Amino acid sequence: MMRSLKMPHARALAPELIATARAQRWEPVEVIKALFTEEIRGRAASMLATRRKAAGFPTGKTFDAWDPAASSIPTPTQQALRTLEWIRRGENLVVCGPSGTGKTFFLEALGQQAVEEGLRVAWFRLEDLGQLIRAHRTDDSVTKAVDRVLRADLVVIDDIGLLAVGTDAAEGLYRVVDAAYEKRSIAISSNLHPAGFDELMPKTLATATVDRLLHHAHICQTSGDSVRLTQALAGKGVIQLS
């Protein structure tokens, strides 16, 4: 019956649990409660793994490895963002600053926390959006593809400003931001403040994108030296050549 009802987690536990229940003379209701509890736990773990895989996170970093004191983002701001209320309100987040100052780490940790709290997350690099546009332009299904992206509660677009933005990527960024406007949350990391996006993409498109992106947005500007470079100069992870 558990197989028919698709209760794999309870079914896996049942033989051992029933043997224990017999030996310890459990009440029937205790057996039922224990089986249902295991099924709920197992399903929650399975759904979490599915959401995490679907998100496409780059490294798996979480707040377990995050040092709030080492970030240039003010601690009260970090704490406020970690409540995730901004996602539930459909607001956006922009983290901009020099390379190596923890932008991607912070966004991924926020995304991981969102997944753990039952929200859906989609992670993209800017060039991924360009590939999406190219792949769906031939059969005129770009709008449908963007709609599928926005099934996520939070869409993260990482590392804007590192490379020149191609036409397809610029269009992809605009389409996602426009479609998400006041419906879904967008979080981006960028080496440039959004006010400088017209250096990367056509001015008209940049203006329209930034207008929608910043209307309901939290902006965090990071500063300081690259953590990776600092560690390298301190002799960590340096390859000595002779």
Side-chain angles (χ1 to χ4, degrees):
M1 284 188 287
M2 282 190 281
R3 184 187 290 112
S4 297
L5 290 170
K6 296 184 174 143
M7 299 175 63
H9 310 287
R11 180 168 166 260
L13 180 66
E16 179 184 349
L17 180 71
I18 291 171
T20 300
R22 282 174 178 162
Q24 298 182 4
R25 297 181 180 181
W26 289 12
E27 292 292 329
V29 69
E30 293 180 279
V31 179
I32 294 170
K33 181 180 179 181
L35 289 172
F36 282 5
T37 299
E38 177 63 15
E39 186 62 29
I40 291 169
R41 184 207 63 76
R43 289 189 184 192
S46 178
M47 291 172 65
L48 173 59
T50 299
R51 289 195 304 272
R52 184 168 280 139
K53 181 178 180 181
F57 293 118
T59 63
K61 291 178 179 176
T62 70
F63 280 119
D64 289 340
W66 175 258
D67 180 4
S71 173
S72 57
I73 300 173
T75 299
T77 301
Q78 295 183 47
Q79 293 171 343
L81 292 171
R82 288 183 63 174
T83 67
L84 305 184
E85 287 302 316
W86 58 281
I87 299 178
R88 297 182 178 94
R89 292 192 298 262
E91 297 168 353
N92 300 327
L93 172 62
V94 176
V95 184
C96 52
S99 182
T101 52
K103 302 185 300 296
T104 297
F105 191 153
F106 187 60
L107 287 187
E108 183 172 1
L110 283 173
Q112 294 276 6
Q113 182 178 329
V115 164
E116 290 168 7
E117 295 190 20
L119 300 174
R120 293 167 297 178
V121 177
W123 187 281
F124 292 91
R125 297 168 303 164
L126 190 55
E127 52 264 39
D128 296 332
L129 293 181
Q131 293 172 5
L132 182 75
I133 296 299
R134 286 193 296 273
H136 291 274
R137 182 178 282 123
T138 54
D139 60 357
D140 199 27
S141 60
V142 171
T143 300
K144 290 181 179 179
V146 171
D147 287 344
R148 285 195 292 272
V149 169
L150 294 180
R151 290 174 184 170
D153 301 289
L154 171 65
V155 179
V156 183
I157 304 169
D158 189 31
D159 276 346
I160 296 175
L162 287 179
L163 300 171
V165 179
T167 302
D168 292 332
E171 179 184 342
L173 178 61
Y174 168 74
R175 282 182 175 271
V176 169
V177 170
D178 180 56
Y181 181 62
E182 296 188 329
K183 298 175 184 175
R184 291 288 189 270
S185 290
I186 303 290
I188 69 169
S189 74
S190 173
N191 281 32
L192 287 176
H193 188 282
F197 279 9
D198 56 0
E199 300 176 21
L200 304 172
M201 51 198 291
K203 185 176 180 60
T204 301
L205 204 56
T207 299
T209 300
V210 172
D211 177 65
R212 290 159 176 78
L213 178 67
L214 298 188
H215 186 207
H216 304 291
H218 306 268
I219 302 178
C220 299
Q221 292 190 267
T222 61
S223 60
D225 297 326
S226 166
V227 174
R228 292 183 292 268
L229 181 59
T230 300
Q231 291 176 343
L233 292 175
K236 299 178 181 178
V238 177
I239 300 175
Q240 298 293 339
L241 300 178
S242 58

